[in-house]
Every structure is written in C-alpha cells, then in structure tokens.
C-alpha cells in the first residue's frame, strides 16, 4: 500500500505530441488529455470528486526500483508528493515498463472504473446526438470518450485496427461526410470499451 502521508500523485504519459496527466489528491481525481495537433478538441479535462489515493496496489520501494529510461516518443513519469517532503519522481520509457509498473500505472488510470463509466456515458450521449442528426456534436462526444478511455482497452498481444479506422473517420469528416465519420467513431469507441471489459479492468 502507498504511505498515508502522500498528498498528491501525478502520472504523466506522453506519446509524441499527445500528453495525458492523471492527478490524484485526497479531494479529487483529474484527467487532462492534451493533443496539440487536434484543432477541434485540443484538451479534454475530466474531474471526479472523492478520495482515490487509498488502496493502490504498490509500495514505494517497488516504484523506486524501476529502471529509469527516457524515451522521447513514449514515456511515463510518476510524481509523488508527501506532506513533509518534496515530490519524488520516477521516469520510465514504455519499452522498459515491466509487468509490475504497468499494473500500477493502470491501477492509477482505472481508479473506481471512472474512465470506463465516463467513456460509456459519452458513447450514449454521442448516439443521442447522431439520432437527432447532430453528427458534428456526436463526433465530439465520441472523440471525448476515446480520449478519456485512452489506451486502457489495448492488450499488447492483440491486433488493433481501431487507430486506422479513426484516421479514416477524420478524413471522412474533413470531406464533409460527417454522418459516416461519426458512425465510424462510434464503432471504434464501442470496440475499445469491449476491449477494456475483456481485460477485466474496473468498470
């Protein structure tokens, strides 16, 4: 278990120009997903109230034992702040992430199944917008859901073609086929939610 005197936990994941920050304090959990290349939805910010610090399955010793490695394309940075100390930081590249650190990172990202619940809510909201013919609004809701869920749906040993489908959806939207683009994004989010459940993560 984590020490009781932690006042804030922050996990930063960067993949190219995409940056995701999960910040947990005794009062709230904040997710900020930033994409500087996304003109329509550059930042997704979601906040849940509650104390989510307790019960994360790791010890501080385990976290410090990770081999540090910087990867400019894809890396994780963990910062722990204690009541009487300066923040303690740890940096590791995705290529050197072992099973224990992956489990801890995903435990942070899936606290109380909040991301799944929010992504599921956004899926339903997008479907209602599509049914009303508001395809641009639907597309934004589906995109928010995809961003909130992040890569948690992905099992490294599995094949994943959903990223290619998203590229196609964005091209369709750019060419004016907003209804088809929204439908494609809907299927991607639905598929990724099913993948999340298949991994038996909290929901």
């Amino acid at each position: 278990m984590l020490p009781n005197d932690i006042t804030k936990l922050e996990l930063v994941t960067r993949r190219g120009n995409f940056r995701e920050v999960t910040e947990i304090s005794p009062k709230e959990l904040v997710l900020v997903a930033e994409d500087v290349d996304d003109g329509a939805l550059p930042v997704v910010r979601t906040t849940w109230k509650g104390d989510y610090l307790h019960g994360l399955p790791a010890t501080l010793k385990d976290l410090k034992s990770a081999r540090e490695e910087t990867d400019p394309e894809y890396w994780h940075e963990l910062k722990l702040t204690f009541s009487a100390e300066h923040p303690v930081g740890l940096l590791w590249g995705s290529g050197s992430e072992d099973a224990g650190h992956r489990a801890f990172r995903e435990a942070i990202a899936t606290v109380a199944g909040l991301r799944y619940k929010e992504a599921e809510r956004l899926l339903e909201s997008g479907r209602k917008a599509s049914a009303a013919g508001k395809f641009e609004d639907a597309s934004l809701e589906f995109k928010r859901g995809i961003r909130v869920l992040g890569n948690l749906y992905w099992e490294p040993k599995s094949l994943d073609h959903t990223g290619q489908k998203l590229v196609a959806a964005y091209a369709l939207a750019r060419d004016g086929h907003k209804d088809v683009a929204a439908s494609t994004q809907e299927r991607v989010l639905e598929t990724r939610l099913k993948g999340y459940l298949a991994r038996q993560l909290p929901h």
Side-chain angles (χ1 to χ4, degrees):
M1 303 290 284
L2 291 167
N4 291 328
D5 59 342
I6 289 180
T7 57
K8 186 172 70 173
L9 181 152
E10 183 181 55
L11 177 68
V12 181
T13 294
R14 186 183 295 275
R15 298 186 295 275
N17 290 329
F18 179 77
R19 177 173 176 267
E20 180 181 285
V21 181
T22 304
E23 183 178 301
I24 308 178
S25 73
K27 293 184 179 180
E28 62 186 12
L29 183 152
V30 180
L31 167 68
V32 181
E34 301 176 326
D35 189 345
V36 297
D37 296 327
D38 189 344
L41 200 67
V43 179
V44 170
R45 182 183 179 91
T46 305
T47 302
W48 298 278
K49 300 296 183 182
D51 184 358
Y52 303 108
L53 275 175
H54 300 296
L56 293 175
T59 67
L60 189 58
K61 180 180 178 182
D62 289 338
L63 297 175
K64 285 184 175 179
S65 69
R67 180 168 66 89
E68 293 189 3
E69 176 181 318
T70 57
D71 181 343
E73 293 301 318
Y74 194 167
W75 52 263
H76 311 286
E77 183 178 13
L78 177 68
K79 296 179 183 177
L80 302 174
T81 303
F82 298 87
S83 57
E85 297 181 22
H86 295 293
V88 174
L90 180 67
L91 183 69
W92 70 95
S94 61
S96 65
E97 183 176 58
D98 60 27
H101 284 78
R102 181 188 178 195
F104 178 75
R105 174 174 57 81
E106 291 187 344
I108 294 172
T110 61
V111 166
L114 293 174
R115 289 210 204 193
Y116 178 88
K117 293 169 187 174
E118 181 70 3
E120 189 177 46
R121 184 190 70 79
L122 289 164
L123 175 63
E124 291 306 314
S125 177
R127 284 172 170 167
K128 290 179 181 178
S130 284
K134 300 178 180 179
F135 300 114
E136 192 166 342
D137 291 344
S139 180
L140 288 175
E141 292 294 89
F142 295 140
K143 184 184 285 189
R144 285 191 181 95
I146 289 166
R147 293 268 288 275
V148 167
L149 194 65
N151 277 0
L152 294 166
Y153 71 94
W154 183 61
E155 173 56 53
K157 295 181 180 179
S158 65
L159 294 175
D160 177 25
H161 301 295
T162 57
Q164 295 171 328
K165 292 180 180 178
L166 285 180
V167 171
Y170 299 149
L172 286 166
R174 187 176 59 247
D175 294 339
H177 305 291
K178 296 181 180 180
D179 55 339
V180 183
S183 177
T184 301
Q185 289 173 297
E186 177 185 358
R187 290 195 300 273
V188 166
L189 180 52
E190 184 178 33
T191 297
R192 290 187 174 187
L193 284 167
K194 289 179 179 177
Y196 180 105
L197 288 178
R199 296 193 59 215
Q200 298 184 331
L201 295 170
H203 61 279

